[in-house]
Amino acid sequence: MNDAQQAALGVGAEKAFENYLEMGELRVQRCTKCFRYQFYPRRFCVDCGGQKLEWERVSGYGFVYSSSVVRRRESNGGDYNISIIELDEGCRMMSQVVDISPEQVEIGMKVKCIVERHEGSMRVCFRPARTNKSVRVGEYDR
Amino acid sequence: MTDKLRGSAAIVGVGLAGIGEAHGFSHLELLEEAARNALSEAGLTFADVDGLFTSNLVNFFPTLTVGEYLGIHPSYVDGSNLGGSSFLHYALSAAVALETGLCDVALICYGSNARSAAGRHTTAAEMPKYEAPFNPRMPAVAYALATARHMHQYGTTREHLAHAALSARQWAQLNPVAYKRDATSLDEILGSRMFCDPLTVRDACLVTDGAGAVVMVSARRAKEFAKKPVYLLGVGEAQWHRQISSMPDLTVTAATESGARAFRMAKVSRQDVDVIQLYDAFTINVILFLEDLGFCPKGDGGPFIADGLIAPGGALPVNTNGGGLSCVHPGMYGVFTMVEIAMQLRQEAGCRQIPGAEVGLCHGNGGTLSSQVTAVFGTGSTL
């Protein structure tokens, strides 16, 4: 059994997602019955009720569905971005677009995921995608 | 069953207390004063109350804490926490309880000293697990994201939003108890500090103290009381998400469903509505709810309010007390929509009175555009 199979073995969907992030991988559940991707992780498909879901390595590409700049004093860390990202696979998640100033983030902007450690646990942020050309599924930045 | 509920219950008393700043008073003391005011309109006392409907942001067991404080021993309670819309939900819950005989006198009440105690809105609500790692400033960020998306899809502008704030202030200037009554202008609102793009501090509701209460009884005995009964004609609820990242479409709220349900039960049309009170936690709420409740097409909410239609003198008066933006917002606003609609339908709203108002709509919002509850009220002539 490889590490990826091990990550989801004997644990709930939430823990499995965390285990994948610890391995540096963004994996998203896909229902084997209706084939929809879902986020956040659940033990069943919230669309069709199916109970068999697979953990797919997604492209990591998506676009900014909406975005805001939280204004914060410089002494407290300064302004930061909050966005909702829609993955190319169709599901959405809250995240932060980094690598550019928060005001430069625009709705519709193509972005690519970064799995990073933040305050002791792993989280998925995004940065502007350098290219629009499609990449091999599963090939993404660590 | 929903047909049976139409007009089955009525508001026979409303009360307010501590609107704005009430230094030195606890939330329970303010709640008690508002509840006493509402009951005294109906010639009732706490001893008459056998249905208690309340929640707040500080008590984990709100019906127990409030019931004990008021010294009442209710036979029916509802402390469901849907956020600020809870109090509109209680109108439905109370109507069912009154119709089925579970209680005879329903007291819907809320009190908060958010402003004098903390100076900001504090809440026991947990941060959703998959949003927490990004430290979103809630609830403002959620409404900012909805606003940004609405602007992107429909061309809504900062000026449109500012008109919602301006209209609220113009109404507040006609309401002697409103907290913010000083004159303002569109330019002043537009020039205010951005705190969660594209929202400025003037797009956000106030942080005030305040309490509100509503007494409801069965329509069968509503005419026994001193005040003209304000009948609950229809009510509908809907919810699709809890956290903003799970909202199916940031530009469409579940008010599309709650409103349709309320109108179906009430058997009135949009054109029949004389006055509207809706939960304006942020200026985008006004736009979203006018669209989703069917008062204008999706995407037209901005131009609709910029035309002055909801301001004093407009064809569709909205938030005649000044709303959460300029009158009162002590954390959960829902109950205040019903207090103001009762004042309007009783023709007691003073210089902000909508002449001859007979049908009024209240809309409550809870969470981050999450829970939506719509209630339609009418005078005796609408039964």
Side-chain angles (χ1 to χ4, degrees):
Chain A
M1 186 179 288
N2 63 30
D3 287 353
Q5 288 165 326
Q6 196 74 38
L9 196 70
V11 295
E14 296 182 37
K15 183 66 180 167
F17 178 72
E18 287 167 26
N19 287 345
Y20 285 119
L21 289 187
E22 284 293 339
M23 294 164 60
E25 292 186 9
L26 169 60
R27 291 213 180 202
V28 176
Q29 290 175 301
R30 188 177 197 185
C31 178
T32 59
K33 197 168 142 200
C34 73
F35 304 112
R36 285 195 192 93
Y37 290 85
Q38 84 174 3
F39 190 83
Y40 50 91
R42 295 171 172 93
R43 295 180 71 187
F44 68 104
C45 171
V46 77
D47 285 307
C48 79
Q51 288 182 289
K52 191 162 168 9
L53 298 103
E54 282 173 356
W55 287 99
E56 298 229 352
R57 293 181 71 173
V58 291
S59 70
Y61 280 91
F63 72 90
V64 177
Y65 172 69
S66 194
S67 182
S68 175
V69 183
V70 178
R71 301 292 175 177
R72 183 172 59 178
R73 280 199 193 93
E74 235 17 91
S75 56
N76 288 340
D79 301 343
Y80 60 101
N81 174 262
I82 294 286
S83 289
I84 294 178
I85 306 300
E86 182 164 319
L87 295 178
D88 284 355
E89 288 76 12
C91 48
R92 291 191 196 136
M93 56 176 70
M94 178 171 284
S95 186
Q96 218 172 82
V97 178
V98 296
D99 280 8
I100 53 171
S101 69
E103 315 68 51
Q104 285 180 299
V105 181
E106 284 177 7
I107 293 177
M109 183 179 269
K110 288 285 288 183
V111 291
K112 191 179 186 190
C113 80
I114 305 163
V115 179
E116 61 163 36
R117 187 165 296 281
H118 175 79
E119 291 175 356
S121 51
M122 303 300 279
R123 67 175 189 175
V124 182
C125 287
F126 289 81
R127 60 165 176 71
R130 289 193 196 91
T131 169
N132 281 347
K133 87 170 181 246
S134 66
V135 294
R136 189 164 60 82
V137 170
E139 183 183 304
Y140 53 89
D141 290 350
R142 296 283 281 256
Chain B
M1 183 62 199
T2 60
D3 276 355
K4 213 172 149 190
L5 281 181
R6 184 190 187 276
S8 70
I11 296 173
V12 293
V14 295
L16 295 172
I19 301 300
E21 292 184 25
H23 294 280
F25 293 90
S26 74
H27 74 287
L28 292 172
E29 290 171 333
L30 297 175
L31 177 148
E32 185 269 343
E33 187 182 333
R36 181 182 299 277
N37 290 341
L39 287 164
S40 74
E41 278 198 345
L44 297 169
T45 68
F46 289 120
D48 297 307
V49 176
D50 59 359
L52 178 61
F53 302 78
T54 194
S55 62
N56 58 53
L57 298 173
V58 292
N59 297 125
F60 192 81
F61 300 119
T63 55
L64 299 179
T65 301
V66 172
E68 176 192 283
Y69 185 85
L70 299 179
I72 58 182
H73 296 179
S75 55
Y76 188 78
V77 301
D78 188 347
S80 312
N81 196 338
L82 294 71
S85 57
S86 302
F87 305 87
L88 278 304
H89 160 78
Y90 301 149
L92 169 59
S93 179
V96 173
L98 291 164
E99 178 64 19
T100 52
L102 290 167
C103 67
D104 290 323
V105 175
L107 174 65
I108 300 172
C109 51
Y110 176 74
S112 159
N113 60 350
R115 183 170 189 92
S116 54
R120 62 192 170 87
H121 291 305
T122 53
T123 170
E126 81 287 0
M127 183 75 85
K129 179 176 176 176
Y130 294 98
E131 296 187 342
F134 305 100
N135 190 27
R137 183 183 290 162
M138 287 295 171
V141 149
Y143 292 87
L145 291 166
T147 306
R149 188 70 202 176
H150 201 279
M151 287 173 150
H152 175 79
Q153 271 182 243
Y154 298 109
T156 302
T157 65
R158 296 250 335 105
E159 286 73 14
H160 292 148
L161 299 168
H163 273 282
L166 182 64
S167 168
R169 180 60 57 86
Q170 289 166 342
W171 280 116
Q173 289 181 295
L174 301 175
N175 180 5
V177 306
Y179 183 59
K180 285 280 186 188
R181 305 187 66 213
D182 45 318
T184 189
S185 68
L186 211 56
D187 284 345
E188 188 185 68
I189 294 167
L190 284 167
S192 56
R193 180 173 61 86
M194 195 76 85
F195 81 115
C196 224
D197 298 21
L199 302 179
T200 73
V201 292
R202 296 291 291 275
D203 289 301
C205 57
L206 306 170
V207 180
T208 69
D209 299 329
V214 168
V215 177
M216 287 177 74
V217 300
S218 161
R220 285 185 293 276
R221 50 181 300 218
K223 284 183 190 144
E224 299 166 17
F225 299 91
K227 294 288 184 184
K228 272 190 216 150
V230 173
Y231 295 90
L232 179 65
L233 300 180
V235 55
E237 310 195 348
Q239 62 172 62
W240 297 338
H241 69 277
R242 187 273 192 235
Q243 56 192 325
I244 197 68
S245 52
S246 292
M247 187 168 173
D249 178 340
L250 282 179
T251 67
V252 182
T253 72
T256 48
E257 283 184 1
S258 68
R261 286 171 188 149
F263 278 111
R264 201 179 310 134
M265 192 194 297
K267 296 188 172 71
V268 299
S269 72
R270 273 77 176 166
Q271 290 73 36
D272 296 324
V273 175
D274 299 307
V275 56
I276 295 176
Q277 312 299 327
L278 51 80
Y279 195 149
D280 54 346
F282 293 86
T283 48
I284 190 67
N285 295 36
V286 181
I287 292 173
L288 289 172
F289 298 150
L290 287 172
E291 293 170 351
D292 293 341
L293 295 171
F295 291 98
C296 67
K298 180 49 70 183
D300 285 1
F304 188 84
I305 60 175
D307 281 346
L309 292 174
I310 66 168
L316 188 67
V318 172
N319 293 351
T320 51
N321 59 350
L325 290 168
S326 275
C327 177
V328 57
H329 192 283
M332 297 166 103
Y333 176 75
V335 72
F336 301 100
T337 64
M338 289 191 286
V339 172
E340 177 67 8
I341 218 72
M343 300 289 285
Q344 288 286 348
L345 298 190
R346 288 173 359 188
Q347 321 295 315
E348 291 178 359
C351 55
R352 66 185 190 282
Q353 178 65 46
I354 308 308
E358 291 191 335
V359 175
L361 179 143
C362 294
H363 183 77
N365 165 68
T368 48
L369 294 170
S370 317
S371 163
Q372 304 297 328
V373 189
T374 313
V376 178
F377 291 93
T379 60
S381 67
T382 64
L383 287 177

